Amino acid sequence: RKQEMSAREKIDKNILGEIKSLGNPPETVKETVLVLVAVVTGVKKSDEWINGVKAISDPGFVKLIQEHDGTVPSKAAPALKKYVATYKVEDVKSKSAAFIAEWLHELAGSGAAGPTKDTNPREWAVFEQIDLNGNGSLDMDEVKFALEKLGEETTADKLLPQLDLNGDGVITFDEFVTGFAKSGLGKVTAESG
């Protein structure tokens, strides 16, 4: 019995050629290609379609895809997360770009781009409750308010530096998940839940 090809294995020079021939493709196709380029090359996602076309026109680009090790570079991770949150595979109406979209969704689902609400549902449920303004990050006031509700207000000053890994005063979901277990917050929320 022949094993079915993975989405990544289906991406070849013919697929990329078809995408290039589209001229001015729909936004979903443009985003798919621009995120692909970021993931494969490890650079921050460009907003310029011409940069995507240049990258996929490189004769070595298919080889980069085929030899990809399944990791998502930190510069590309935010773009990949935003992409999979915005587009489903079926939103990409080009059959060629749909193979790429499928692979990007597989990568994101594997956790390679860092934690998501799908890969870390428990942490997401807690994070979402603390994120009172719904902006996708936590500030000191939100953390203090949540801990006050648990009767742990003195913990906030100690907890924020443990969770705010880059020291910018805001806690992203990535930082929250990383610091979640280390800080003991998992025990606090589990006991109170």
Side-chain angles (χ1 to χ4, degrees):
R1 215 171 98 158
K2 196 174 176 186
Q3 190 177 1
E4 190 168 325
M5 291 175 74
S6 72
R8 186 188 76 199
E9 291 170 327
K10 293 175 186 172
I11 304 167
D12 60 17
K13 66 179 183 176
N14 296 328
I15 295 290
L16 297 179
E18 285 175 34
I19 292 170
K20 285 187 294 191
S21 73
L22 293 174
N24 187 21
E27 198 59 34
T28 55
V29 173
K30 288 179 182 178
E31 280 300 304
T32 302
V33 170
L34 293 171
V35 172
L36 170 74
V37 170
V39 166
V40 172
T41 62
V43 298
K44 189 174 181 219
K45 182 182 100 43
S46 171
D47 291 328
E48 301 296 324
W49 173 239
I50 189 72
N51 293 335
V53 172
K54 282 181 189 171
I56 67 174
S57 298
D58 183 309
F61 193 75
V62 170
K63 188 175 180 189
L64 289 176
I65 295 170
Q66 298 308 325
E67 293 176 354
H68 193 271
D69 63 3
T71 60
V72 177
S74 58
K75 286 182 180 176
L80 178 60
K81 286 182 181 181
K82 182 177 179 187
Y83 175 82
V84 297
T86 307
Y87 302 109
K88 294 180 178 75
V89 175
E90 51 271 16
D91 294 337
V92 182
K93 300 299 182 202
S94 155
K95 188 171 179 156
S96 299
F99 291 128
I100 298 169
E102 187 179 338
W103 181 51
L104 293 175
H105 276 268
E106 286 172 7
L107 270 179
S110 73
T116 65
K117 65 181 178 182
D118 296 326
T119 60
N120 296 69
R122 185 179 128 203
E123 291 88 344
W124 179 257
V126 174
F127 184 86
E128 203 172 30
Q129 287 179 2
I130 299 171
D131 184 16
L132 299 174
N133 63 9
N135 69 350
S137 62
L138 308 178
D139 60 35
M140 186 64 166
D141 291 336
E142 288 171 321
V143 173
K144 278 185 177 174
F145 182 75
L147 290 169
E148 282 170 11
K149 279 176 41 181
L150 296 169
E152 298 279 340
E153 57 274 351
T154 55
T155 315
D157 292 326
K158 290 184 229 157
L159 189 59
L160 192 66
Q162 288 179 9
L163 294 176
D164 183 16
L165 302 176
N166 65 3
D168 65 356
V170 219
I171 301 163
T172 63
F173 186 59
D174 285 17
E175 290 173 315
F176 183 77
V177 170
T178 303
F180 192 78
K182 288 186 207 173
S183 68
L185 188 61
K187 287 187 295 210
V188 172
T189 55
E191 290 166 6
S192 65

